[in-house]
Amino acid sequence: MPNADNWQGDVLRDLRGTPPPQRAQSHGAAHGHRPAQERQQPPQEQPQPQPRTGARAPGPNTPASSPAPPPRMQRPARSPDSRPVVDSALSGTARRPRQGEPAAARVSRAIRRIVSSSAAREVAEITRTAERIQQPVTTGRQIAVTSIRGGAGKTTVAALLGTAYAHYRQDPVLLVEADPALGSLPLRLGAETLRWTTADLADIVEPQMSLLDVTGYLVQLPDNAWLLPGSQGRIGAMLDTAAYERVMVALRRYFGVTVVDCETLPAEVARVALSAAQARVLAAPATLDGITSTYAVLQWMQGLPSHMIAGTVVALTSTTSRPGIDVEDAAEKLRSTGATVHVLPHDRHLAAGGALRTELLARPTRLAATRLAAEVFQLSQKRR
């Protein structure tokens, strides 16, 4: 278990494979450090363990007054098989990823930056934004992303946030898919195969596990980030609130920031995730029906404890290059409820729906996503 006084140092040491400082023998054994090469391998197929039992009847050598050991959680009878994120029959249908904005727009922006002083201002803003994201945390921050309906871009927003935190922060970052109904977060993050899911890990995770034990069940991503999928792409996968709570409580101490891609409201797990998170992101499409439904939800949130709406950020996503509404006027209307609003501009790379590649994002999209990540993280710091 990480040291409560320096938990970030403990998990970073685990990641690098550095031996821990000299401690008592029992404490070192509890950590269960493994070699770096073993850390990169997923858990192998294990023989079926014998069921663990709870209390035993007193034997001839056992005093009747001896306390019974606490019941232990049973591990699954077998390891799930790995499954590809994209079926081989469909993998050839994807086209080559596109740049987020046309070449003419990129050239025009580059010329404007050369002949003006905007480049220096932009660098200064990026530096300030990065400093906000890099602030240390005493306990892991959980950020929930949801929406009112499908197609609002919540998974894209969750992927952008997780990618930004993993890029700027040194402590581990976790992305959790709490949307088991054919969620697309693994696809967005470029994962190739899936094995263990949120529901699986709820039956496995135990308090004495080290970070290396936990990450063996996760999908490793670039920049010190990990993914916990919600399903293996099967219809009918379920995730109950009890399993979600067990996983999130157990994993919080290992990761500096956890981004949760929730089901759409008013799903039960989404409501639990929103109430337990230190900050919330509500993805809304920049359409008339999108802002109408989002405005209604924000008005409802005004009747909840004040920290709920104060810790909520609306990510207004432009689904087309020419939205059918005045995006800035819509953002101001939503801000009148007390929520923070950030606009994510239309981006051809994001609109394609494939794996997120930050180098292909339009520059305005990268800047807007980084600002959004910094704002949400700052709000999460205000809620303990």
Side-chain angles (χ1 to χ4, degrees), residues 46 80 88 147 161 174 180 188 222 290 327:
Q46 299 292 333
S88 58
S147 62
L161 290 176
L174 176 65
R188 273 306 209 188
V327 176

Side-chain angles (χ1 to χ4, degrees), residues 187-347:
L187 175 62
R188 273 306 209 188
L189 294 172
E192 296 182 355
T193 59
L194 304 178
R195 187 175 183 185
W196 303 91
T197 67
T198 308
D200 294 329
L201 199 57
D203 297 327
I204 296 171
V205 66
E206 294 179 352
Q208 70 272 21
M209 295 174 72
S210 71
L211 175 66
L212 297 182
D213 295 325
V214 170
T215 54
Y217 296 98
L218 307 177
V219 179
Q220 187 165 9
L221 303 171
D223 291 331
N224 202 25
W226 279 267
L227 164 68
L228 179 56
S231 71
Q232 286 191 329
R234 293 187 177 97
I235 295 176
M238 299 296 293
L239 176 64
D240 57 63
T241 56
Y244 173 80
E245 290 174 343
R246 283 201 304 273
V247 168
M248 298 305 292
V249 169
L251 297 185
R252 179 175 175 178
R253 64 190 180 95
Y254 300 102
F255 299 93
V257 181
T258 299
V259 178
V260 185
D261 180 18
C262 302
E263 297 174 287
T264 56
L265 291 172
E268 185 178 5
V269 173
R271 296 200 304 269
V272 171
L274 290 176
S275 62
Q278 284 81 33
R280 290 151 294 280
V281 179
L282 192 61
T287 60
L288 183 58
D289 58 337
I291 63 168
T292 300
S293 56
T294 302
Y295 184 66
V297 170
L298 293 176
Q299 287 182 312
W300 168 76
M301 292 180 67
Q302 287 179 315
L304 301 176
S306 58
H307 72 269
M308 289 294 292
I309 196 164
T312 298
V313 178
V314 176
L316 198 56
T317 59
S318 297
T319 55
T320 64
S321 57
R322 294 181 61 85
I325 62 171
D326 188 317
V327 176
E328 291 302 327
D329 284 351
E332 285 301 319
K333 183 64 174 178
L334 297 177
R335 291 188 185 102
S336 67
T337 63
T340 305
V341 181
H342 281 258
V343 177
L344 290 176
H346 173 70
D347 189 287

Side-chain angles (χ1 to χ4, degrees), residues 56-59 61-68:
R56 295 184 300 172
N61 298 324
T62 306
S65 59
S66 299

Side-chain angles (χ1 to χ4, degrees), residues 101-108 348:
E101 60 183 346
R106 298 197 302 273
V107 172
S108 175
R348 297 191 309 175

